[in-house]
């Protein structure tokens, strides 16, 4: 897999091509587009956005946030703690190791940036992702309310 950093809003279609592989309404896709445009506006400074290609097809994405992830210095403090955000793999390609490769790449980049700890957040119902993160050495250090009633979010971290 080839991995590249993107910083330009003209790359939004590459990000959306992953999201579109999930059952999304037009409204959900528009919300994703709006969010990606905001995130691309921060790219290069506080946020690094990476996409993975296999045979010129975008298969995965991940972001590294350096400071103020969810306004929580325990998630990203601008110094030695950074936050992994929005790991996504094309729906039909999950389970082929692309997520694991994206995380390994992001961990290497974070080390190069001098980070000592990486954090991430995951919804409690996403058992597959939680299992992956645990296998890769991440541990739950905090729980909070999820986006919807009855949901929880686990914050996980790993020393690099």
């Amino acid at each position: 897999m080839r991995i590249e950093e993107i910083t330009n809003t003209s790359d939004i279609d590459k990000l959306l091509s992953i999201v579109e592989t999930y059952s999304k309404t037009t409204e959900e896709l528009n919300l994703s587009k709006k969010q990606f445009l905001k995130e691309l506006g921060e790219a290069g400074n506080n946020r690094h956005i990476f996409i993975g290609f296999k045979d010129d097809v975008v298969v995965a994405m991940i972001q590294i946030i350096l400071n103020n992830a969810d306004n929580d210095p325990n998630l990203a403090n601008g110094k030695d703690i950074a936050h992994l955000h929005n790991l996504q793999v094309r729906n039909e390609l999950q389970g082929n190791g692309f997520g694991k490769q994206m995380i390994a790449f992001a961990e290497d980049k974070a080390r190069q940036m001098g980070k000592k700890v990486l954090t991430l957040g995951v919804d409690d119902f996403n058992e597959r992702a939680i299992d992956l993160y645990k296998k890769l050495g991440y541990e739950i250090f905090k729980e909070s309310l999820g986006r919807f009633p009855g949901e929880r979010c686990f914050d996980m971290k790993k020393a690099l």
Side-chain angles (χ1 to χ4, degrees):
M1 179 170 52
R2 182 178 93 248
I3 300 174
E4 297 177 2
E5 183 169 7
I6 61 172
T7 58
N8 196 313
T9 55
S10 65
D11 290 318
I12 191 150
D13 290 336
K14 294 174 183 172
L15 299 174
L16 288 171
S17 70
I18 297 170
V19 176
E20 291 170 342
T21 66
Y22 295 85
S23 297
K24 298 282 185 180
T25 66
T26 302
E27 183 179 341
E28 289 170 325
L29 288 173
N30 286 335
L31 286 172
S32 292
K33 183 174 185 175
K34 184 178 178 182
Q35 183 63 33
F36 287 147
L37 285 170
K38 178 181 178 257
E39 292 169 351
L40 282 164
E42 297 175 6
N45 296 319
N46 186 46
R47 184 182 303 264
H48 295 272
I49 303 171
F50 302 98
I51 52 175
F53 295 87
K54 183 175 192 298
D55 303 325
D56 294 326
V57 174
V58 178
V59 297
M61 72 172 117
I62 197 167
Q63 299 180 29
I64 301 173
I65 300 173
L66 304 177
N67 195 20
N68 290 328
D70 294 333
N71 294 316
D72 185 343
N74 292 313
L75 297 180
N77 64 7
K79 298 173 189 158
D80 59 344
I81 302 171
H83 185 74
L84 295 182
H85 175 67
N86 207 11
L87 171 65
Q88 291 192 45
V89 175
R90 291 180 72 89
N91 191 32
E92 72 275 12
L93 296 176
Q94 289 192 5
N96 289 296
F98 295 120
K100 192 181 296 185
Q101 289 178 61
M102 293 300 286
I103 292 170
F105 178 87
E107 289 175 352
D108 286 342
K109 282 291 182 188
R111 281 187 201 93
Q112 292 170 18
M113 294 177 203
K115 305 306 173 195
K116 304 292 182 204
V117 175
L118 272 179
T119 65
L120 58 87
V122 60
D123 294 316
D124 63 348
F125 59 83
N126 196 345
E127 294 175 15
R128 189 172 182 184
I130 294 167
D131 289 343
L132 171 65
Y133 300 143
K134 285 181 176 180
K135 286 178 187 171
L136 296 176
Y138 290 82
E139 297 176 349
I140 296 171
F141 72 97
K142 183 170 72 171
E143 283 186 43
S144 58
L145 295 176
R147 292 173 281 193
F148 300 103
E151 290 181 0
R152 306 285 297 158
C153 179
F154 298 135
D155 288 324
M156 302 178 81
K157 68 180 176 179
K158 176 181 178 177
L160 297 178

